Amino acid sequence: MSSPVEQITVVSSDGDEFKMTVAAAMQSEQLKQMLTDDSISIVKVPVENISTEILVKVIEYCQKHADHEAATKANGGGASDSEAEELNKWDAEFMKVDVEDKLFHILMAANYLEIKGLFDLACQTVADLIKGKTPKQIRKIFNLKNDFTPEEQERLSRQHNCSFD
Amino acid sequence: MAQNLDRLKDVVPDILSRLPVKSLRRLACVNKSWYRLIKSPDFISKHLHTFNNHMKLTDPINLLVKRTRRATFGPSGVDRKAFVSLLSFNRANSSTILNLLDLIYNHDEVNHIEILGPCNGLYCLYSIPIMIVNPSMREFRILPDSPAPPDTYSLQRHNGFGFDPKTNDYKVVVIMDTWLNETDEQLPWRIEIYSLNSHCWRNVDCLLPPVSIWNCSWIDAFVHGAFHWWAYDAAGDLVLAFDMVNETFQTFRVPNARPSSREYVGTVAKFRDSLAVIVYPRRGTEKCFDLWVMEDYGNEGSWTKHSIIGPIVGAGRPLGFLEEKNLFLLEDNNGRMVFYDLQTEEIMHTGFHGEEDSLQAVVYMESLISVRGDNENPQAGASFFGMIPDPLFEGNSG
């Protein structure tokens, strides 16, 4: 790749434009493919199903992790335990969002843009969120219907020792 | 609900594969789609891999451990009792322990038990009776005793446990010597296999190679689809391998790993999905453990001395590796379990102990694999399926 591109522009579904450093963009497999493909000259990349609010968060994650990678490389290889722990703490704070929906949208954005670290982090966060919840609460979160018949429910309750509530 | 949450469906398997079995059993009741997902072989496989491999350094160390302890139990005054427990140990040096056998049956009479596995989250507990257990599903299956021809007796038994991907079956293999009651004449060694799918034992018509198996195996070595034992013949040390798919034996000569067979002990082990051998001195207040690895499985010329672990002060015998945490597990000279960090060389005392040379420790894995097997066999006689009552692993990773 010989092009001296240092930044790319991504456009949210709301039409807002944001600049991303190449290093940050490389955190996304999708964007990375585009950047390393010489046959594509990038001007603006539309990300149709990601709103401004979510895109801002995603870019923040990518930049932080790109910075961390660069710092690690500069130090000659492996991150120390304390540096890794610091990044983990940052990740934990980052995932503290006020509304559950936001969490899901970040997860889907990470899936769409193929940002592995963010995808794993978001999956884990959602998993932790639903771990202790009842089936009823889960249905509400994921907007699902209970389509078991009463007989099926009875049989399953016995097998799995759980309630359907 | 905001729009576009439809596509959340696509990532539900990725989310659910990070949950412990206890949660998933509850979530199977959400709706039919989730029920089918959680029961599907693809998801079970995904969960097995994802849940057990996403560990952070800060997560607790979860092990299935075995030990014997001296005390007086029961009316017969048995003075040694074997325990199998789930041990959860975190860096704050606190641990919680749950005696698994206590939840299954009264094991006052059990003074010896061997843990084999895990194999995709299933463990074989070899004692009287023999059991296959999935602790995370709270299920166990008690096996009938391995059959013996009439009027014979056995002195030695060597066990193995593994998975046959061709038939999707879990197998327990037992190698036994056979002697006639009347004349004490020795008959050929017998090889018996129990198949979880067919719920029964069958004799394997294959000859044991002319080797002697050491009567001590405490580190599981099921790797490359075969179970391995440390053995020897007149020409020296070797590894005996039993292929779980083809049900045949193979032997691998081991290079001069032991400087002297009197002063040094050898044992098979598993290291990074390769067959390994650990050699260490029998005695000493400070020991080094030589780790040999068969880099190219099946190729006797590929044995390589991978590393020397230690020296470790007060070390007794090795218990295996916990690779997710880069740890070498061992028993010290006083029967206590110790962790040795392969990277930092730091030693962690767990405070867990048993009688000397009685410990076994294997990684605790969660898995959705049921030990009910593929079909219920009404002739299964003495084998039955049971559930370990709650609670199990409250908190921690559960």
Side-chain angles (χ1 to χ4, degrees), chain B residues 153-193:
Chain B
Y153 63 93
S154 258
L155 294 171
Q156 284 187 59
R157 225 163 248 256
H158 302 283
N159 316 311
F161 178 58
F163 176 64
D164 174 358
K166 264 216 178 120
T167 52
N168 200 33
D169 198 5
Y170 294 89
K171 298 177 178 173
V172 179
V173 58
V174 182
I175 302 172
M176 287 177 283
D177 60 357
T178 318
W179 305 79
L180 285 175
N181 277 346
E182 281 239 12
T183 59
D184 290 330
E185 180 195 334
Q186 186 173 22
L187 301 176
W189 285 68
R190 273 181 7 256
I191 295 109
E192 303 275 341
I193 290 191

Side-chain angles (χ1 to χ4, degrees), chain B residues 279 287-291 305-311 340 342 345:
Chain B
V279 171
K287 294 184 185 176
C288 279
F289 297 82
D290 289 349
L291 175 62
K305 191 172 189 175
H306 177 277
S307 53
I308 299 176
I309 302 168
Y340 176 84
L342 292 168
E345 298 185 8

Side-chain angles (χ1 to χ4, degrees), chain A residues 108 120 131 139 147 156 162, chain B residues 18 26 29-30 32 35:
Chain A
M108 289 189 294
D120 286 344
K131 199 195 286 199
R139 283 182 212 119
D147 53 359
L156 276 179
C162 67
Chain B
R18 287 170 160 78
R26 200 173 49 235
C29 303
V30 164
K32 287 188 175 174
Y35 179 88

Side-chain angles (χ1 to χ4, degrees), chain B residues 126 130 143-147 157 159 172-174 176 191-195 198-203:
Chain B
Y126 202 99
I130 310 170
L143 275 50
D145 288 333
S146 51
R157 225 163 248 256
N159 316 311
V172 179
V173 58
V174 182
M176 287 177 283
I191 295 109
E192 303 275 341
I193 290 191
Y194 177 86
S195 138
S198 61
H199 302 311
C200 65
W201 290 94
R202 77 186 135 80
N203 186 273

Side-chain angles (χ1 to χ4, degrees), chain A residues 54-90:
Chain A
I54 301 300
L55 188 56
V56 163
K57 284 286 272 183
V58 170
I59 293 174
E60 186 191 345
Y61 176 91
C62 290
Q63 192 59 58
K64 174 72 180 178
H65 279 250
D67 290 344
H68 176 85
E69 265 174 36
T72 304
K73 228 186 213 164
N75 286 341
S80 71
D81 266 0
S82 62
E83 280 167 14
E85 219 177 294
E86 207 201 298
L87 189 64
N88 285 338
K89 281 204 180 115
W90 187 93

